[in-house]
């Protein structure tokens, strides 16, 4: 009997941990399953063609909000052309409405509810030996036999996680080299947030700690780029997570570890580890969701803004750990003005990324049954909220565009210098939300929401916005960010970076040829060829305030701040970041210096 387990991932870079757990557990019971993964971006007829050539007796699909509709469509076609194939679904999207799905979709034969390792293996063994998987009942399995829906209607859990083997193999490392590798050290959640499914039972189970460390070492030995923990609250038990974090810090090699952490459980110990680890070793995601007390009470979530303010800034300031924070639009009692306050609160901490999500009325979640908040949501997955009792649809629509603009510019991290400068004044004097709302309005006025813009187009928009704000410093810093973030490869007159660099190079030729002078700014420099200089070093003119913000100080010590701020300066930027930017020495453009005049013309024309 041939058993195929599959899923439709949301992107090519994703992989399914659930399928690999099923396969690994099945091996312990002498059951073999073949994994076949697709993506929702593939043509559905191509998927049908591929999966039917496998001639499976049983096909199982893992179902989530991003793939449920396409999966059901695929299953209906599989059943139409391969009616004898048994189709079973599993995953969070089918675990809480199994009977309803079986009633509405006759192409589905069975559904496994909850954690599937034990239940699915028992199901396959029953089918293989000619027995019914629903009579006698297998916990977690509901199915259709002789036209009747029968079996178990409970979502099951695996009590002893040590019975589940490590899900990855040497063969996996050959195919997952450029993909995110998902992993977990625990299951469940100690909290009961009403928008989430993870805390439905308020229980947490752990994989053996010693085993987890051995498996993390295996990832490091195999040069895995990123291990993304799917633990819902990684730091819920100090006896478990502290040794793991210390191991990552001390033995993690070049692997990046992504952890979802709860701020109210963070102590000085976690802060110390995250502040002392190698840069890029660990990144954390902190779901705050809202800072409005009434909202938090309604969704059964505990936040402590004072603790958040005490534990998060030191981690960000240390500059070792990437900090990603989350907010949710559409929660109870959170109008646009209250969401603005939540946004400004989190923005004041200056996280590296501030993600704005939109509430989804997940099947099995508490908010799905909260009629008092007058939710209107998309009836199709992912069941995203369109309107609430305090947030009309027009505000939701505007916030959708706001999120898009904010994600493109602030969260891209390509423009950290300019937004670092802007953020200082917004935090002290204004509303960050209002600032980005103004940016969003200009974006919409130009119809950019309906256009496909490349990087240069988006930079030109940002430059225009700063210009309209009459912010010359922001314009200068944006050009600096563009050169350093894109390695000097994006230049456009629309944002003051001409593609024709001959005059720029002519003006600087004397400087670049004077090796002893250049070494004062670039140690170990030696003149090799113009092409390399042209690629690695770019020149822009900036105002005095931008100069000071960049920390450039190679000017005359006798100059006062007032004088510095009143002038503009030509600075040289190393786009590779190996040398700090510096003011190009004035004497290098003095036409009275005794250098042959023809040098700045013939050489440039020949080599640049």
């Amino acid at each position: 009997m041939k058993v195929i387990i599959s899923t439709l991932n949301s992107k090519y870079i994703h992989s399914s941990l659930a399928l690999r757990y099923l396969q690994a557990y099945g091996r312990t019971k002498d059951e073999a399953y073949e994994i076949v993964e697709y993506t929702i971006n593939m043509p559905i007829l191509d998927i049908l063609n591929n999966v039917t050539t496998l001639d499976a007796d049983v096909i199982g699909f893992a179902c989530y909000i991003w793939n449920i509709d396409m999966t059901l469509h695929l299953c209906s076609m599989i059943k139409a052309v391969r009616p004898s194939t048994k189709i079973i679904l599993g995953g969070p999207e089918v675990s809480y409405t199994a009977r309803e799905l079986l009633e509405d979709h006759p192409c589905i034969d069975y559904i496994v509810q909850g954690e599937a390792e034990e239940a699915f293996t028992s199901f396959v063994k029953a089918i293989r030996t000619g027995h019914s998987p629903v009579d006698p009942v297998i916990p977690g399995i509901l199915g259709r036999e002789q036209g009747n829906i029968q079996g178990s209607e409970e979502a099951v859990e695996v009590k002893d996680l040590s019975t589940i083997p490590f899900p990855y193999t040497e063969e996996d490392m050959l195919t997952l080299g450029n993909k995110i590798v998902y992993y977990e050290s625990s299951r469940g959640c100690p909290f009961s947030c009403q928008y989430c499914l993870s805390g439905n039972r308020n229980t947490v189970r752990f994989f053996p700690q010693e085993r987890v460390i051995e498996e993390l070492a295996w990832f490091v030995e195999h040069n895995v780029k990123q291990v993304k923990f799917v633990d819902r609250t990684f730091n819920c038990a100090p006896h478990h997570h502290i040794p793991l974090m210390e191991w990552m810090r001390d033995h993690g090699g070049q692997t990046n570890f992504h952890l979802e952490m709860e701020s109210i459980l963070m102590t000085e110990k976690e802060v110390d580890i995250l502040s002392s680890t190698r840069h890029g070793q660990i990144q954390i995601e902190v779901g705050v969701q809202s800072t409005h007390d009434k909202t938090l009470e309604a969704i059964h979530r505990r936040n402590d803004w004072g603790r958040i303010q005490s534990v998060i800034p030191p981690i960000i300031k240390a500059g070792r750990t990437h900090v990603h924070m989350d907010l949710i639009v559409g929660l109870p009692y959170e109008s646009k003005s209250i969401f603005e306050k939540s946004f400004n609160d989190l923005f004041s901490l200056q996280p590296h990324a501030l993600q704005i999500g939109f509430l989804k009325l997940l099947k099995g979640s508490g908010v799905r049954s909260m009629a008092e908040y007058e939710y209107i949501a998309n009836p199709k997955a992912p069941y995203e909220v369109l309107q609430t009792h305090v947030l009309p649809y027009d505000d939701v629509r505007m916030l959708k565009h706001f999120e898009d603009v904010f994600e493109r510019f602030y969260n891209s991290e390509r423009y950290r210098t300019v937004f670092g400068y802007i953020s200082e004044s917004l935090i002290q004097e204004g509303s960050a939300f209002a600032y980005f709302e103004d940016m969003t309005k200009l974006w919409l006025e130009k119809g950019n929401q309906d256009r496909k813009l490349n990087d240069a187009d988006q930079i030109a928009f940002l430059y225009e916005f700063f210009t309209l704000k009459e912010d010359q410093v922001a314009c200068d810093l944006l050009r600096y960010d563009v050169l350093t973030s894109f390695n000097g490869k994006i230049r456009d007159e629309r944002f003051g970076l001409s593609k024709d660099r001959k005059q720029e190079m002519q003006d600087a030729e004397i400087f670049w040829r004077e090796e002893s002078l250049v070494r004062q700014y670039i140690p170990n420099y030696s003149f090799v060829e113009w092409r390399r200089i042209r690629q690695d070093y770019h020149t822009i003119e900036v105002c005095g305030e931008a100069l000071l913000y960049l920390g450039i100080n190679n000017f005359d010590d006798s100059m006062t701040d007032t004088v510095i701020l009143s002038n503009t300066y030509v600075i040289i930027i190393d786009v590779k970041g190996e040398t700090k930017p510096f003011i190009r020495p004035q004497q290098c453009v003095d036409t009275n210096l005794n250098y042959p005049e023809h040098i700045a013309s013939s050489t440039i024309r020949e080599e640049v």
Side-chain angles (χ1 to χ4, degrees):
M1 186 178 76
K2 189 172 185 179
V3 180
I4 299 294
I5 50 177
S6 182
T7 193
L8 310 183
N9 294 316
S10 60
K11 295 180 181 178
Y12 171 76
I13 62 169
H14 296 167
S15 60
S16 176
L17 175 61
L19 299 185
R20 288 170 174 80
Y21 270 135
L22 290 183
Q23 185 183 60
Y25 187 84
R27 288 195 193 103
T28 68
K29 305 298 180 182
D30 298 320
E31 298 292 348
Y33 321 135
E34 182 179 341
I35 293 176
V36 184
E37 295 181 82
Y38 306 100
T39 78
I40 58 175
N41 301 310
M42 296 175 64
I44 194 167
L45 292 180
D46 289 354
I47 299 175
L48 175 67
N49 174 67
N50 182 270
V51 77
T52 52
T53 60
L54 300 175
D55 292 325
D57 299 290
V58 175
I59 301 178
F61 287 99
C63 302
Y64 306 89
I65 54 175
W66 61 80
N67 70 16
I68 182 62
D69 290 332
M70 190 171 178
T71 299
L72 290 172
H73 183 191
L74 177 62
C75 289
S76 68
M77 291 193 291
I78 293 172
K79 183 63 75 171
V81 298
R82 296 286 190 272
S84 63
T85 301
K86 302 289 186 185
I87 297 177
I88 179 169
L89 304 185
E93 185 55 24
V94 299
S95 288
Y96 301 94
T97 55
R99 177 172 288 276
E100 177 185 335
L101 280 163
L102 287 167
E103 290 172 347
D104 294 343
H105 300 277
C107 60
I108 307 305
D109 298 301
Y110 302 94
I111 290 177
V112 56
Q113 304 147 95
E115 297 175 6
E117 288 88 357
E118 295 172 342
F120 183 76
T121 300
S122 296
F123 163 83
V124 171
K125 193 174 293 292
I127 295 290
R128 183 172 54 78
T129 57
H131 293 87
S132 168
V134 292
D135 185 17
V137 170
I138 296 175
I141 301 294
L142 185 68
R144 186 196 328 275
E145 292 191 354
Q146 289 82 46
N148 298 317
I149 297 173
Q150 54 186 311
S152 167
E153 298 199 46
E154 65 172 319
V156 294
E157 289 185 347
V158 177
K159 293 181 179 180
D160 183 1
L161 297 185
S162 67
T163 63
I164 304 175
F166 181 56
Y168 294 102
T169 64
E170 294 288 343
E171 185 180 24
D172 286 325
M173 292 301 100
L174 299 176
T175 59
L176 299 179
N178 295 317
K179 297 185 179 184
I180 298 171
V181 174
Y182 294 94
Y183 181 74
E184 64 184 349
S185 69
S186 66
R187 290 185 181 179
C189 182
F191 301 105
S192 56
C193 304
Q194 296 299 288
Y195 53 82
C196 180
L197 304 179
S198 298
N200 281 356
R201 300 194 181 188
N202 298 109
T203 59
V204 184
R205 292 148 293 138
F206 300 96
F207 284 88
Q209 187 182 96
E210 183 176 345
R211 168 186 153 175
V212 171
I213 290 176
E214 290 176 357
E215 292 169 354
L216 295 182
W218 190 86
F219 288 133
V220 173
E221 290 168 4
H222 285 76
N223 299 312
V224 172
K225 293 181 180 179
Q226 183 184 66
V227 174
K228 188 167 186 177
F229 279 74
V230 296
D231 301 45
R232 300 313 299 165
T233 305
F234 177 80
N235 62 319
C236 66
H239 74 276
H240 177 76
H241 72 262
I242 292 295
L244 298 184
M245 293 179 69
E246 290 176 332
W247 187 93
M248 294 173 201
R249 178 194 61 193
D250 300 334
H251 307 284
Q254 298 304 306
T255 300
N256 169 264
F257 300 94
H258 178 102
L259 315 174
E260 293 192 27
M261 301 187 71
E262 174 54 62
S263 57
I264 65 170
L265 300 178
M266 292 178 70
T267 67
E268 290 184 7
K269 185 63 176 177
E270 287 89 346
V271 173
D272 177 67
I273 295 171
L274 296 172
S275 300
S276 60
T277 188
R278 176 183 64 79
H279 176 76
Q281 189 85 76
I282 301 174
Q283 63 188 53
I284 63 171
E285 184 171 349
V286 182
V288 177
Q289 322 310 3
S290 173
T291 61
H292 184 51
D293 289 341
K294 194 171 183 179
T295 295
L296 296 170
E297 182 180 356
I299 60 174
H300 301 180
R301 181 171 179 81
R302 295 164 51 205
N303 272 357
D304 183 337
W305 181 240
R307 176 172 288 275
I308 293 172
Q309 287 179 302
S310 68
V311 298
I312 298 300
I315 299 171
I316 295 172
K317 185 177 180 180
R320 302 295 187 93
T321 296
H322 184 281
V323 178
H324 175 129
M325 304 186 79
D326 299 331
L327 287 173
I328 296 178
V329 171
L331 294 173
Y333 303 110
E334 195 151 69
S335 62
K336 182 184 173 187
S337 62
I338 292 176
F339 178 81
E340 176 176 354
K341 182 181 182 304
S342 290
F343 179 90
N344 286 336
D345 286 341
L346 262 64
F347 190 88
S348 71
L349 304 179
Q350 285 294 276
H352 301 100
L354 200 176
Q355 182 174 323
I356 301 169
F358 289 76
L359 180 65
K360 297 169 179 60
L361 301 186
L362 302 176
K363 293 179 179 179
S365 67
V367 291
R368 193 175 178 90
S369 60
M370 293 180 174
E372 64 268 34
Y373 303 123
E374 302 172 16
Y375 281 120
I376 297 175
N378 186 344
K380 293 283 188 178
Y383 320 112
E384 195 166 280
V385 164
L386 304 174
Q387 182 170 304
T388 79
H389 63 130
V390 293
L391 193 68
Y393 171 67
D394 286 346
D395 286 347
V396 174
R397 182 178 60 182
M398 178 61 181
L399 289 170
K400 267 289 187 183
H401 293 303
F402 180 102
E403 184 270 338
D404 176 43
V405 170
F406 190 75
E407 187 71 21
R408 288 173 185 266
F409 297 117
Y410 183 89
N411 281 349
S412 75
E413 297 193 62
R414 289 172 168 172
Y415 315 106
R416 296 310 293 169
T417 311
V418 65
F419 282 119
Y421 154 76
I422 290 168
S423 298
E424 289 182 3
S425 60
L426 292 178
I427 293 168
Q428 294 173 7
E429 303 169 9
S431 165
F433 182 91
Y435 186 88
F436 286 100
E437 186 175 31
D438 287 346
M439 190 182 293
T440 302
K441 289 176 180 177
L442 180 63
W443 181 266
L444 296 175
E445 285 173 13
K446 293 188 166 297
N448 288 340
Q449 74 277 16
D450 298 320
R451 299 172 56 207
K452 188 174 182 178
L453 305 183
N454 60 28
D455 288 326
D457 293 332
Q458 294 184 62
I459 295 163
F461 164 80
L462 204 53
Y463 191 83
E464 180 181 359
F465 177 75
F466 294 152
T467 301
L468 291 173
K469 288 285 188 181
E470 299 181 345
D471 193 338
Q472 184 59 50
V473 179
C475 290
D476 292 346
L477 296 178
L478 175 62
R479 287 186 289 128
Y480 171 81
D481 277 336
V482 171
L483 290 174
T484 55
S485 294
F486 296 94
N487 294 318
K489 294 178 180 178
I490 294 183
R491 297 183 66 98
D492 196 302
E493 293 282 4
R494 290 177 294 174
F495 39 87
L497 292 174
S498 174
K499 293 180 180 179
D500 183 0
R501 300 184 59 204
K502 287 186 178 180
Q503 187 60 51
E504 173 189 328
M505 298 304 293
Q506 287 174 359
D507 292 344
E509 181 171 8
I510 294 174
F511 169 74
W512 289 116
R513 287 190 178 278
E514 192 66 29
E515 292 185 350
S516 61
L517 177 61
V518 179
R519 288 193 192 106
Q520 295 179 28
Y521 308 95
I522 307 173
N524 303 318
Y525 168 83
S526 61
F527 179 83
V528 180
E529 59 178 347
W530 281 114
R531 187 177 302 278
R532 186 175 300 178
I533 293 172
R534 185 177 186 272
Q535 289 175 346
D536 294 350
Y537 301 97
H538 290 244
T539 302
I540 60 172
E541 187 175 278
V542 300
C543 65
E545 189 175 348
L547 183 85
L548 293 176
Y549 188 82
L550 289 170
I552 300 173
N553 56 13
N554 64 304
F555 39 73
D556 190 332
D557 292 339
S558 65
M559 294 174 67
T560 64
D561 286 350
T562 302
V563 173
I564 293 170
L565 293 173
S566 64
N567 288 309
T568 58
Y569 304 84
V570 175
I571 66 171
I572 293 177
I573 298 168
D574 176 359
V575 299
K576 292 184 176 179
E578 296 174 358
T579 305
K580 293 182 179 180
F582 56 91
I583 302 170
R584 190 181 68 200
Q586 283 293 318
Q587 64 267 34
C588 293
V589 293
D590 190 332
T591 56
N592 293 322
L593 290 178
N594 296 320
Y595 288 92
E597 293 183 1
H598 69 276
I599 288 179
S601 56
S602 61
T603 309
I604 294 291
R605 291 193 185 98
E606 292 170 3
E607 299 188 48
V608 176

